[in-house]
Amino acid sequence: MTNIALITGANKGIGYEIARLLAGQGVTTIVGARDEERGRAAAERLGQPYVRLDVTDEESVAAAAKWIDGEYGRLDILVNNAGITGDTAAYLPSAATAAHLREVYETNVFGVVTVTNAMLPLLRRSPAGRIVNMSSELGSLAMAADPDSPYADVNILAYNSSKSALNMVTVSYAKELKDTPIKVNAANPGYCATDLNQHQGFRTAEQGAAIAVRLATLDESGPSGAFLEDAGPVRW
């Protein structure tokens, strides 16, 4: 039985690489993207299906879930990859406003909950459902508070706190689903060169995608409720 995966924000960057790598393993990988032209183009390059999906639009998410149900009847893998950094002029806490935080949280936190809840009935039909939330070391409270951390001075209020919140979202779902075959984990791709950071990262998108693919294809002995990177657990 071929596994069915949905990747949000999969038309470029890490999301595209996750889709490409999963497709290379024989997974039917649905490219989710809000921009239909870019999403369809990415899906065509991969030879995979496309569904329009704007994680901030509940109607769009519901329509995508209905389409997946009609086409496949289940979902085996969900990768919540779509994310934004927000207004670069409002990175510091003193420059941020509630509106800045709402914009980032709509995609990075509320969108994840919206998509996950819409897809859960489909994931429950899988013999081994997997949910992967794309987090960041910038969401680690331990690393942010550690003056010796390489990211101690990266003080981006909206983005960093949204990833901290996403980590708690991950743990919360893992706890609720602990008695099911579904595993829920957070992935840290590292500092990758993508549009999100104007391609300043020192890792490639493909390198960043590897941990998500590993968590998406865990066997039943794998962890749930963990925050992991290539080298192992990340400090919360």
Side-chain angles (χ1 to χ4, degrees):
M1 183 173 66
T2 302
N3 280 343
I4 311 299
L6 169 65
I7 320 298
T8 67
N11 61 291
K12 62 180 181 178
I14 295 172
Y16 180 85
E17 290 300 319
I18 295 170
R20 185 181 67 81
L21 292 170
L22 284 173
Q25 294 186 18
V27 176
T28 296
T29 307
I30 303 164
V31 173
R34 62 181 178 180
D35 187 300
E36 188 161 356
E37 183 178 351
R38 293 176 181 175
R40 288 194 183 279
E44 287 176 9
R45 288 196 301 273
L46 294 169
Q48 297 295 317
Y50 162 76
V51 67
R52 185 182 178 278
L53 178 58
D54 180 347
V55 303
T56 68
D57 180 346
E58 290 187 9
E59 290 186 5
S60 165
V61 174
K66 183 177 180 180
W67 180 83
I68 294 169
D69 188 11
E71 289 290 317
Y72 304 103
R74 73 176 200 284
L75 188 64
D76 301 290
I77 296 166
L78 169 63
V79 181
N80 287 304
N81 168 75
I84 62 173
T85 57
D87 185 353
T88 57
Y91 276 178
L92 292 175
S94 59
T97 65
H100 292 137
L101 268 71
R102 288 192 191 99
E103 179 188 16
V104 174
Y105 273 61
E106 282 291 345
T107 297
N108 295 6
V109 183
F110 307 148
V112 170
V113 172
T114 299
V115 172
T116 301
N117 286 347
M119 301 301 163
L120 260 179
L122 298 169
L123 286 158
R124 288 183 184 275
R125 297 177 197 162
S126 170
R130 300 290 180 261
I131 301 172
V132 182
N133 295 328
M134 297 304 290
S135 187
S136 168
E137 62 263 92
L138 295 180
S140 165
L141 297 177
M143 293 178 71
D146 181 357
D148 295 324
S149 163
Y151 299 105
D153 295 328
V154 185
N155 196 21
I156 307 172
L157 177 61
Y159 181 79
N160 294 10
S161 65
S162 76
K163 293 303 183 180
S164 298
L166 179 61
N167 288 347
M168 179 57 79
V169 167
T170 302
V171 171
S172 297
Y173 276 103
K175 289 166 68 175
E176 179 177 352
L177 298 168
K178 66 180 180 179
D179 295 324
T180 78
I182 300 172
K183 295 183 182 295
V184 190
N185 291 292
N188 174 35
Y191 192 31
C192 300
T194 67
D195 288 352
L196 200 71
N197 55 40
Q198 294 77 53
H199 293 267
Q200 296 176 20
F202 53 81
R203 286 166 59 84
T204 66
E206 181 179 6
Q207 288 174 317
I211 181 61
V213 172
R214 180 156 67 87
L215 293 175
T217 55
L218 286 173
D219 63 26
E220 63 180 15
S221 67
S224 188
F227 184 18
L228 298 165
E229 61 185 7
D230 290 342
V234 182
R235 291 184 292 166
W236 294 106

